[in-house]
Amino acid sequence: MSKPNERKSIRFSPDPGTLAQIEIPLKDGAFAPKDAGLVLNESSRGCAVVVTRKSFLKPGELWRIKIGHLDPVKAQIKWVTELDMDVQKVGLQYLGIN
């Protein structure tokens, strides 16, 4: 039986300096990122990214994200940890390829 906080997929470290291009809010059409963040860890189901934002990000919001050289995917914010007044650590779950 799995524990409530037990991860369902293995996390791995990205290559040093791997960036995530981020489209917030999610829009239809071609991928048009306006923000970027540093990827902290990755898995087959999602990733954790550090972003600098003036506005507070909320769980449930939808993004389109491009990790390194991979194609953009739709993702949902699962959790947000405020590290500083302008810096958040964001956990994303991939929803599918766009």
Side-chain angles (χ1 to χ4, degrees), residues 6-43:
E6 188 174 306
R7 292 183 168 158
K8 295 180 181 169
S9 56
I10 297 171
R11 298 286 188 264
F12 58 92
S13 297
D15 292 334
T18 298
L19 294 178
Q21 296 177 52
I22 303 164
E23 182 181 75
I24 311 168
L26 181 68
K27 298 176 184 159
D28 290 330
F31 182 62
K34 300 282 187 211
D35 292 296
L38 182 63
V39 179
L40 297 176
N41 65 51
E42 300 177 78
S43 77

Side-chain angles (χ1 to χ4, degrees), residues 18-85:
T18 298
L19 294 178
Q21 296 177 52
I22 303 164
E23 182 181 75
I24 311 168
L26 181 68
K27 298 176 184 159
D28 290 330
F31 182 62
K34 300 282 187 211
D35 292 296
L38 182 63
V39 179
L40 297 176
N41 65 51
E42 300 177 78
S43 77
S44 61
R45 297 170 47 101
C47 64
V49 179
V50 172
V51 295
T52 58
R53 302 273 303 163
K54 297 290 182 194
S55 61
F56 184 72
L57 302 170
K58 298 178 184 101
E61 288 181 341
L62 296 178
W63 290 7
R64 198 159 21 167
I65 186 167
K66 183 178 186 304
I67 306 291
H69 299 292
L70 301 176
D71 289 336
V73 296
K74 194 180 292 183
Q76 182 178 42
I77 297 177
K78 298 308 279 184
W79 52 264
V80 177
T81 302
E82 191 166 341
L83 301 176
D84 187 289
M85 189 151 89

